[in-house]
Amino acid sequence: DIVMTQSPDSLAVSLGEGATIYCKSSQSVLYTSNNKNYLAWYQQKPGQPPKLLIYWASIRASGVPDRFSGSGSGTDFTLTISSLQAEDVALYYCQQYYSSPYTFGQGTKLEIK
Amino acid sequence: QVQLVQSGAEVKKPGASVKVSCKTSGYTFTDYFIHWVRQAPGQGLEWMGWINPNNGGTSYAQKFQGRVTMTRDTSISTAYMELNRLTFDDTAVYYCARPDCSSTSCRNWFDPWGQGTLVTVSS
């Protein structure tokens, strides 16, 4: 199984400041035949299901604000929020869909400083 | 719009079984797989498996093999997840979720998700 490890486990950032969350996979999730990274990011608020933010490591899902961006390739990925808004307080998860079982990181809790 | 609506919360005793439903609308049910993911209290997300509503084919995470059964009823566009021999560790919110599928393949990111069904195992 591919193990996904996020860092940090929690993060406190001031409103308007940037936030970066890291995700590392135990093996590459880059499929060389199409040069795509099989990596997604989700946001989860209390009492709600996860919401897709990013797929193919860097493509924003429909309706996701452009302050959210994803980058990285192979085994190392980042989710960046350029200017933190109050509504961004949530848990964030990365997920690999390169191979079954489709595994998630342990989550990063983002709070306001 | 695409919606996945799950059945209500359940309380079960250890050793019992639970069956959670996921009623879909807003798209052709047989065109998209349905995956199940669970989340124990205060914990992360754990993928359980998928069902292909077109032919009933399934694939389960090894951890749940022999204990989980995923089925569907195409007449009412609903998928089901049944988990047997429940233990206290099965207390969790269970989600159904839809991947992104074309006529030939699926990309297994999940959007949308059902609202979740809390299953509590308690004696």
Side-chain angles (χ1 to χ4, degrees):
Chain A
D1 298 3
I2 298 177
V3 177
M4 308 300 289
T5 304
Q6 293 180 226
S7 61
D9 289 334
S10 63
L11 181 61
V13 174
S14 300
L15 289 171
E17 295 296 305
T20 301
I21 298 170
Y22 301 93
C23 175
K24 187 174 185 66
S25 56
S26 61
Q27 63 188 76
S28 176
V29 298
L30 173 63
Y31 195 43
T32 53
S33 66
N34 61 9
N35 200 37
K36 288 183 181 288
N37 288 283
Y38 284 55
L39 190 285
W41 288 96
Y42 299 87
Q43 176 193 66
Q44 187 179 32
K45 297 182 179 180
Q48 296 184 17
K51 173 190 171 184
L52 178 70
L53 293 177
I54 301 280
Y55 57 94
W56 295 135
S58 63
I59 308 297
R60 272 189 303 276
S62 177
V64 174
D66 60 7
R67 65 179 180 273
F68 291 91
S69 62
S71 63
S73 185
T75 62
D76 294 280
F77 301 91
T78 60
L79 174 70
T80 301
I81 306 171
S82 60
S83 176
L84 190 72
Q85 305 298 303
E87 61 264 32
D88 300 334
V89 169
L91 277 162
Y92 291 84
Y93 294 94
C94 60
Q95 178 227 340
Q96 65 81 19
Y97 49 96
Y98 182 88
S99 65
S100 177
Y102 306 110
T103 46
F104 296 83
Q106 81 278 14
T108 295
K109 185 176 184 179
L110 179 59
E111 300 173 309
I112 304 293
K113 185 187 291 183
Chain B
Q1 74 281 24
V2 175
Q3 283 193 302
L4 282 62
V5 178
Q6 299 181 222
S7 49
E10 303 261 16
V11 179
K12 296 292 183 181
K13 292 191 182 300
S17 298
V18 68
K19 190 171 186 177
V20 179
S21 68
C22 173
K23 182 168 179 59
T24 71
S25 61
Y27 71 98
T28 301
F29 179 60
T30 50
D31 283 351
Y32 292 80
F33 287 28
I34 290 289
H35 292 242
W36 292 87
V37 176
R38 77 176 185 179
Q39 185 171 37
Q43 302 299 308
L45 299 162
E46 182 175 34
W47 179 78
M48 299 180 69
W50 56 253
I51 182 167
N52 178 351
N54 188 44
N55 59 17
T58 55
S59 177
Y60 305 136
Q62 189 170 7
K63 175 177 179 175
F64 300 102
Q65 290 272 5
R67 211 160 64 90
V68 71
T69 304
M70 296 178 188
T71 57
R72 90 292 189 213
D73 184 338
T74 56
S75 69
I76 55 171
S77 301
T78 299
Y80 302 92
M81 186 283 300
E82 183 171 22
L83 190 61
N84 302 316
R85 302 191 301 278
L86 292 168
T87 71
F88 297 121
D89 290 343
D90 293 317
T91 293
V93 175
Y94 290 77
Y95 294 102
C96 59
R98 198 190 78 166
D100 180 71
C101 294
S102 67
S103 58
T104 55
S105 66
C106 288
R107 280 71 59 191
N108 294 307
W109 65 75
F110 305 127
D111 180 43
W113 297 58
Q115 84 276 20
T117 296
L118 175 61
V119 175
T120 302
V121 182
S122 173
S123 55

